[in-house]
Amino acid sequence: MIGATGPTASVVITMGERDYDLAIIGAGPAGMTAAIYAVRSGLKTLLIDAGMAGGQLQISPEIENFPTWRKITGPELAEKMKQHTEDYLSMHEFEAVEDISRDDEGRFVLSTPKGEYRSRAIILTTGASHRKLGAPGEEEFAGRGVSYCATCDGFFFRGKRVAMVGGGNTAAAEAIYLKSIGCEVVLIHRRDTLRAEKRYQDKLKEMGVEILYSHVVEEILGDQTVTGVRLKDLKSGEERVIEVSGVFISVGEDPHTALATKLGVELDDEGFIRVDRSMRTSERYIYAAGDVAGGVRQIIVACGEGAVAATSAYEDLVNPYWVKK
Amino acid sequence: MIGATGPTASVVITMGERDYDLAIIGAGPAGMTAAIYAVRSGLKTLLIDAGMAGGQLQISPEIENFPTWRKITGPELAEKMKQHTEDYLSMHEFEAVEDISRDDEGRFVLSTPKGEYRSRAIILTTGASHRKLGAPGEEEFAGRGVSYCATCDGFFFRGKRVAMVGGGNTAAAEAIYLKSIGCEVVLIHRRDTLRAEKRYQDKLKEMGVEILYSHVVEEILGDQTVTGVRLKDLKSGEERVIEVSGVFISVGEDPHTALATKLGVELDDEGFIRVDRSMRTSERYIYAAGDVAGGVRQIIVACGEGAVAATSAYEDLVNPYWVKK
């Protein structure tokens, strides 16, 4: 544990069990990497997550672009990161930070159902979640044919016809995954080209995934479970119904910025936390990394950012950049 | 291969064997990760290195802070990255880029002993090297007690006595780091004052780090590993030996910017390539990642930056940011 310095900081003479140098909120790839770096730097570190460690890795199908792992599933990669992180600290899983504020001495106060924690610095690695389509039937049939996670739910649809909605890398990857486990897949995209990498596009073609360009889902239909989707062809204006047993949705992400907003942290135009290259936010002693900080939302990038955020937090706790001569 | 677009770009109609969308110069962690991402995006990519793939990994002893690998040697990690990268392309090792320029159509022309290559975009991942002390024993005990990176290797010396050589901010920060993780630290500096900022000096004092001013390392001593250093007191001329298990050297880094300079790329105050968060440099279609771009010089960070640089290169080749409306 390092001592605090600087005119804006009070030196913590005695540090209780619930007092930390650094609190990292969110135990996905960014948070876990930040924790490894922070503890190695000698910071007394709290790593806390409202759910299970791993973040979106837990719902990621096969991953091929995390260097050193040629092919690995998200949950497997999460487990390896978790084991690595637990060499350094015991993480707090399934413990939501419900409120956050600053005390008179400038320390952060985190409230969870298990009580309060204090820290001198914060790294926000709260991630992002899947955006909803907003179509009628989407909420009604959630968990009954509507899914935001092919890896989690695809298994139930083997041998059946499903719609995959979206045009980015994730949508393409999930369509490929669904096809590979034995679904008949129709990819539905509102534009006339996919945003997905060429490799994904080639793979979709190679696997014979049907793609409906310039189509939107007007409604998700069903009885007890999903039975079809009503589509609109944006070019002709015509509507039609196709029969599917499942609808997988991958149309973007919403960053989890509720805590950031409470702390007065500046967001960018897309609603992600604004950071500089050192992962410092607009507020002193607050850093962000991973999906919540926007940028290129990839696992390896989140890890790199986590390491940078922890390094910046350490530097500022020892020698705040804003009081350097 | 994607087509080039935008008013500043000429569309490559026919592409010869030696014509690429992207050339990545330097096959360390940043370059290899950039290559994986670039090829997955459909870019025809050249990855070239004057030496062996892996960069400084090849001279790194045990690594504990690359998430998912709790303990691995540098060469092992390099080999895993290399295998992964070779799923995507055949890299050119031991082929130095001796000259670089731009042709009339704005393409980059790379000259090597094996001829010329052309590319529409460039990622510079040329790395940096730690400045050597030049003392006898320094090379002999490299990786066996002599280290140039406290963040990387300090953890292995917890509870032991180590020498930190240097007087700048990095040396001071690394001495503080080593002390905070439980090393007994002697800071050795050739001048009678440190160049490090006052806050670092205060912190060194507060933490009780011993400082030997006006001392130089005459020799690094050891058997299988480092056992001590022979010092010379520049004021009295006297020599003596102190026992240490490790010698950390922080007397500066030399980024490999010869090619960057030829291309007119802007450097920062410390001589590293200036980049923004998207790893774009001051020049269009030129990106940089890893140690040559400064910042936090860690393997996981270099990988993250490589992925970002490749993503930016891909985006600009498809849809240059400077012509986006």
Side-chain angles (χ1 to χ4, degrees):
Chain A
M1 196 197 83
I2 64 160
T5 62
T8 63
S10 68
V11 177
V12 178
I13 303 296
T14 56
M15 200 177 246
E17 203 188 312
R18 285 171 170 267
D19 292 329
Y20 292 86
D21 292 313
L22 175 67
I24 301 168
I25 307 177
M32 287 195 278
T33 308
I36 292 169
Y37 270 78
V39 176
R40 288 175 67 87
S41 299
L43 298 181
K44 187 183 172 192
T45 303
L46 173 70
L47 175 58
I48 190 164
D49 197 297
M52 195 192 297
Q56 290 202 68
L57 283 181
Q58 296 292 1
I59 53 165
S60 301
E62 223 145 44
I63 292 159
E64 292 182 340
N65 56 10
F66 187 92
T68 71
W69 295 103
R70 296 158 77 175
K71 199 183 274 288
I72 191 167
T73 70
E76 280 169 357
L77 196 65
E79 183 55 31
K80 286 180 193 301
M81 281 190 196
K82 187 176 167 178
Q83 283 171 6
H84 195 167
T85 307
E86 287 179 335
D87 287 347
Y88 295 95
L89 50 65
S90 297
M91 57 180 99
H92 293 230
E93 293 178 87
F94 302 104
E95 187 176 350
V97 177
E98 294 173 334
D99 199 13
I100 194 163
S101 59
R102 281 181 119 147
D103 69 13
D104 294 343
E105 292 169 17
R107 285 177 303 180
F108 299 95
V109 183
L110 288 69
S111 305
T112 82
K114 296 188 183 169
E116 284 189 352
Y117 303 89
R118 270 157 218 270
S119 73
R120 303 201 28 73
I122 292 271
I123 301 178
L124 295 165
T125 47
T126 42
S129 54
H130 299 293
R131 199 167 290 162
K132 302 284 184 297
L133 209 53
E138 183 177 11
E139 275 187 40
E140 187 184 348
F141 295 109
R144 293 190 294 136
V146 171
S147 168
Y148 301 87
C149 174
T151 330
C152 317
D153 306 325
F155 203 72
F156 305 111
F157 295 89
R158 284 181 306 166
K160 294 179 180 167
R161 191 179 197 215
V162 298
M164 179 80 228
V165 187
N169 276 345
T170 310
E174 297 211 329
I176 291 162
Y177 173 79
L178 290 167
K179 182 77 180 181
S180 72
I181 63 171
C183 297
E184 187 189 336
V185 184
V186 188
L187 182 58
I188 297 161
H189 187 44
R190 60 185 171 151
R191 299 185 198 281
D192 56 6
T193 52
L194 300 181
R195 287 194 321 281
E197 290 170 5
K198 186 177 175 296
R199 239 162 200 274
Y200 285 123
Q201 299 195 33
D202 291 348
K203 192 77 183 166
L204 287 167
K205 198 171 178 182
E206 182 193 322
M207 295 182 82
V209 171
E210 183 187 352
I211 306 179
L212 293 176
Y213 294 101
S214 308
H215 275 72
V216 292
V217 173
E218 288 282 284
E219 189 180 357
I220 295 168
L221 308 166
D223 184 6
Q224 293 302 308
T225 59
V226 166
T227 56
V229 285
R230 186 160 53 80
L231 301 177
K232 183 176 184 176
D233 182 332
L234 293 177
K235 294 209 165 157
S236 68
E238 279 169 22
E239 295 197 357
R240 64 181 158 134
V241 168
I242 63 168
E243 286 181 16
V244 292
S245 304
V247 183
F248 289 86
I249 297 166
S250 176
V251 293
E253 283 186 296
D254 288 315
H256 298 161
T257 50
L259 297 174
T261 303
K262 279 190 181 172
L263 292 166
V265 169
E266 210 175 283
L267 306 181
D268 69 17
D269 298 339
E270 293 174 86
F272 294 90
I273 297 176
R274 193 187 293 285
V275 290
D276 63 13
R277 202 185 151 205
S278 69
M279 308 317 288
R280 290 178 173 101
T281 70
S282 61
E283 298 298 306
R284 288 175 182 175
Y285 291 119
I286 306 179
Y287 314 83
D291 286 2
V292 76
V296 176
R297 297 191 280 288
Q298 291 290 307
I299 304 158
I300 189 67
V301 177
C303 290
E305 290 180 354
V308 171
T311 304
S312 296
Y314 172 78
E315 281 175 4
D316 292 344
L317 285 168
V318 174
N319 187 22
Y321 71 90
W322 52 87
V323 293
K324 280 180 187 169
K325 54 137 210 325
Chain B
M1 196 196 85
I2 64 159
T5 62
T8 63
S10 67
V11 177
V12 179
I13 304 295
T14 57
M15 200 178 247
E17 202 188 312
R18 286 171 170 267
D19 292 329
Y20 292 86
D21 291 312
L22 175 67
I24 301 168
I25 307 177
M32 287 194 277
T33 308
I36 292 169
Y37 271 78
V39 176
R40 288 176 66 87
S41 298
L43 298 180
K44 187 183 172 192
T45 302
L46 173 70
L47 175 58
I48 191 164
D49 197 298
M52 195 193 295
Q56 291 202 64
L57 283 182
Q58 295 294 359
I59 52 163
S60 301
E62 225 147 39
I63 292 160
E64 293 183 339
N65 57 9
F66 187 91
T68 71
W69 295 102
R70 297 159 76 176
K71 200 183 274 287
I72 191 168
T73 69
E76 279 168 358
L77 196 66
E79 183 56 29
K80 286 181 193 301
M81 282 191 195
K82 186 176 168 179
Q83 281 170 8
H84 195 166
T85 307
E86 287 179 335
D87 287 348
Y88 296 94
L89 49 66
S90 297
M91 59 180 98
H92 293 231
E93 293 178 88
F94 301 104
E95 187 177 350
V97 176
E98 294 172 332
D99 198 14
I100 194 163
S101 59
R102 279 182 121 146
D103 69 12
D104 294 344
E105 292 168 20
R107 286 178 302 181
F108 299 95
V109 183
L110 287 70
S111 305
T112 82
K114 295 186 181 169
E116 283 189 352
Y117 303 89
R118 270 157 218 271
S119 73
R120 303 199 29 70
I122 292 272
I123 300 178
L124 295 165
T125 46
T126 41
S129 39
H130 297 291
R131 217 166 279 164
K132 301 284 187 296
L133 209 53
E138 184 176 10
E139 274 186 42
E140 186 184 348
F141 295 108
R144 295 191 292 137
V146 171
S147 168
Y148 299 86
C149 176
T151 320
C152 315
D153 305 326
F155 217 66
F156 304 111
F157 294 89
R158 283 180 305 166
K160 294 180 180 167
R161 190 178 197 215
V162 298
M164 179 80 228
V165 187
N169 276 344
T170 309
E174 298 210 329
I176 292 163
Y177 173 83
L178 290 167
K179 182 76 179 183
S180 72
I181 62 172
C183 297
E184 187 190 334
V185 185
V186 187
L187 181 58
I188 297 162
H189 186 44
R190 61 185 169 154
R191 299 185 200 281
D192 56 6
T193 52
L194 299 182
R195 283 195 324 281
E197 290 166 6
K198 186 176 174 296
R199 284 193 158 269
Y200 283 121
Q201 299 194 33
D202 292 347
K203 192 75 190 169
L204 286 167
K205 196 171 179 182
E206 181 194 322
M207 295 182 80
V209 171
E210 182 186 353
I211 306 179
L212 293 176
Y213 293 101
S214 307
H215 276 72
V216 292
V217 173
E218 289 282 284
E219 189 180 357
I220 295 167
L221 309 167
D223 184 6
Q224 294 303 308
T225 59
V226 166
T227 55
V229 285
R230 186 159 55 80
L231 300 178
K232 183 177 184 176
D233 181 332
L234 293 176
K235 293 208 165 158
S236 68
E238 279 170 21
E239 294 197 357
R240 63 180 160 137
V241 168
I242 63 168
E243 285 180 18
V244 292
S245 304
V247 182
F248 287 85
I249 297 167
S250 177
V251 292
E253 262 193 293
D254 292 314
H256 301 158
T257 51
L259 297 174
T261 303
K262 279 189 181 173
L263 292 166
V265 169
E266 210 175 283
L267 306 181
D268 68 18
D269 298 339
E270 294 174 86
F272 294 90
I273 296 176
R274 193 187 293 284
V275 290
D276 63 15
R277 199 185 156 204
S278 68
M279 308 318 287
R280 290 178 172 100
T281 70
S282 61
E283 298 297 306
R284 287 176 182 176
Y285 292 119
I286 306 180
Y287 314 83
D291 286 1
V292 77
V296 175
R297 297 189 279 287
Q298 292 288 305
I299 303 159
I300 189 67
V301 177
C303 289
E305 290 181 353
V308 172
T311 304
S312 296
Y314 173 79
E315 281 174 5
D316 292 344
L317 285 167
V318 174
N319 188 19
Y321 72 90
W322 54 87
V323 295
K324 281 179 189 168
K325 56 150 204 316

